[in-house]
Amino acid sequence: CLNKIMKFKINFILVILLSIVVFAFTFSSCKTKRQVFHFKNVKPMRAAKVFDNVNFRKFRYQTLSLKFSATYEKENESQSFSGTLRIMRDSAIWISIVPALGIEAARILITPDSVKFINRINSTYYLGNYNYFRNLTKMDLDFNLLQSVLSNEMFFYTRTSDDDDIKGYKSYTDSNLYVLQSLKERKLQRKVKKKKTDDLIFIEVAVLPEIFKIVHVLADDLENQKSLDVTYSDFENVEDQLFPMTAKFVIKNKEEVIKFNLSYTKATLNKKLDYPFSVPEKYLKMPD
């Protein structure tokens, strides 16, 4: 019975992690005080300039190792788990998932051209490309997108690379934040009203002025009636760079709403890391 329950939960966790990617960073071996920001009279700025400022102030690192804790809620079910995350910039994302029992339940290794994972609960493994998780999550995932979400960087969630252009975005100020939108709300509402939502993905990004850090991202896939809503908060000054210490995710689709929260603990920045991954004998390979 326990095996059956854990099998379901590990599969569910894998879906969540690859849908939103485990966003878990502290970038320092000791915590610093969280910053409180007060911005007034924010002047309008072109979308391209906001975008350039966010990129200029992005968190810079080569390698990262950290421990995290997380919780998720789905209908009347909730679960907590913890784990370890290691990243080599532009090369690898390595995740070890540990449930409450304290024994590793799953391990994931993601590179720009491959996805590998081991599910120790049901003794299975996967070696392949992103198609498996694209089919599983119904999201167009790639390494750059995952790394951008992990690093609190600007990203474009689209179906084709032709849409990756900030020139099409609109910019305005709201509640002393810069807000970027892939489509003006009035135009979006007209498309929805006329049911012209084929291939339509609406993106909205809220950015803190002056420090140009992302605090909110909404990716709404109107054609498939699903959305990802991410809120970043509790920024800390870590090695003279600001980074959010809390991330909250809300994933919606036609059938359900899933909430996912992360908090971050011990971490090490720019140290030499290992990314071990080996498949035990007798494990069964999962099909693509």
Side-chain angles (χ1 to χ4, degrees):
C1 181
L2 178 60
N3 243 9
K4 184 177 180 181
I5 293 173
M6 288 305 299
K7 177 181 177 181
F8 167 77
K9 289 185 176 180
I10 292 303
N11 286 339
F12 181 78
I13 290 170
L14 287 171
V15 173
I16 295 298
L17 291 179
L18 270 298
S19 294
I20 62 177
V21 189
V22 177
F23 178 95
F25 283 83
T26 32
F27 304 101
S28 174
S29 58
C30 58
K31 289 191 174 182
T32 56
K33 292 183 179 180
R34 289 175 179 171
Q35 305 295 303
V36 179
F37 305 103
H38 300 285
F39 303 108
K40 295 182 179 180
N41 303 319
V42 178
K43 297 181 180 180
M45 184 179 294
R46 293 182 297 108
K49 190 173 182 179
V50 175
F51 177 78
D52 288 343
N53 276 293
V54 171
N55 279 341
F56 181 75
R57 289 169 174 79
K58 69 182 180 181
F59 195 91
R60 302 184 185 280
Y61 64 93
Q62 293 302 315
T63 65
L64 167 71
S65 176
L66 62 101
K67 294 184 182 298
F68 64 87
S69 61
T71 61
Y72 81 80
E73 298 178 13
K74 175 188 174 185
E75 297 179 349
N76 297 323
E77 181 183 5
S78 64
Q79 184 182 0
S80 300
F81 60 96
S82 60
T84 301
L85 170 65
R86 298 173 184 173
I87 294 182
M88 179 184 293
R89 184 80 179 188
D90 298 330
S91 299
I93 299 170
W94 182 94
I95 305 165
S96 174
I97 300 170
V98 181
L101 298 176
I103 301 173
E104 185 183 65
R107 183 173 293 189
I108 305 169
L109 178 60
I110 305 168
T111 67
D113 58 5
S114 69
V115 174
K116 306 175 183 178
F117 76 82
I118 301 171
N119 187 333
R120 300 192 187 279
I121 300 301
N122 61 10
S123 300
T124 59
Y125 70 97
Y126 175 80
L127 303 176
N129 55 32
Y130 286 80
N131 289 338
Y132 175 82
F133 288 109
R134 285 170 180 160
N135 293 333
L136 190 65
T137 64
K138 308 303 179 186
M139 296 179 70
D140 296 314
L141 300 173
D142 60 37
F143 187 89
N144 290 332
L145 174 62
L146 303 186
Q147 183 173 254
S148 294
V149 175
L150 282 165
S151 303
N152 188 231
E153 296 174 2
M154 189 75 76
F155 68 92
F156 298 92
Y157 177 70
T158 60
R159 294 194 179 89
T160 65
S161 59
D162 295 338
D163 297 325
D164 295 2
D165 191 350
I166 192 64
K167 293 180 182 178
Y169 276 63
K170 312 301 177 185
S171 174
Y172 67 95
T173 60
D174 184 25
S175 301
N176 289 317
L177 295 172
Y178 291 117
V179 179
L180 305 181
Q181 291 183 335
S182 58
L183 196 68
K184 285 187 176 180
E185 288 190 16
R186 290 183 179 178
K187 189 173 182 179
L188 174 66
Q189 291 171 2
R190 288 198 298 269
K191 284 181 173 291
V192 172
K193 187 176 181 180
K194 296 179 179 179
K195 298 182 179 180
K196 295 182 178 180
T197 57
D198 291 352
D199 294 325
L200 179 59
I201 298 177
F202 174 72
I203 306 292
E204 182 177 87
V205 183
V207 177
L208 289 169
E210 298 184 23
I211 63 170
F212 292 94
K213 292 296 182 179
I214 299 170
V215 292
H216 179 247
V217 179
L218 169 65
D220 192 353
D221 185 340
L222 284 92
E223 179 183 0
N224 296 300
Q225 298 181 42
K226 61 184 179 182
S227 65
L228 168 63
D229 193 303
V230 189
T231 302
Y232 305 114
S233 61
D234 298 329
F235 284 82
E236 290 189 3
N237 192 335
V238 181
E239 298 190 13
D240 297 323
Q241 299 185 75
L242 289 172
F243 207 90
M245 306 300 289
T246 302
K248 297 182 179 181
F249 302 86
V250 178
I251 303 169
K252 296 181 181 180
N253 56 43
K254 297 176 183 179
E255 291 79 29
E256 59 192 6
V257 177
I258 299 168
K259 297 180 180 180
F260 192 72
N261 300 326
L262 287 143
S263 60
Y264 324 115
T265 55
K266 183 178 179 180
T268 305
L269 182 65
N270 292 334
K271 301 294 183 180
K272 185 177 179 179
L273 301 175
D274 294 322
Y275 307 87
F277 188 93
S278 60
V279 179
E281 293 184 8
K282 299 182 180 180
Y283 271 40
L284 298 177
K285 185 177 181 180
M286 298 177 62
D288 291 336

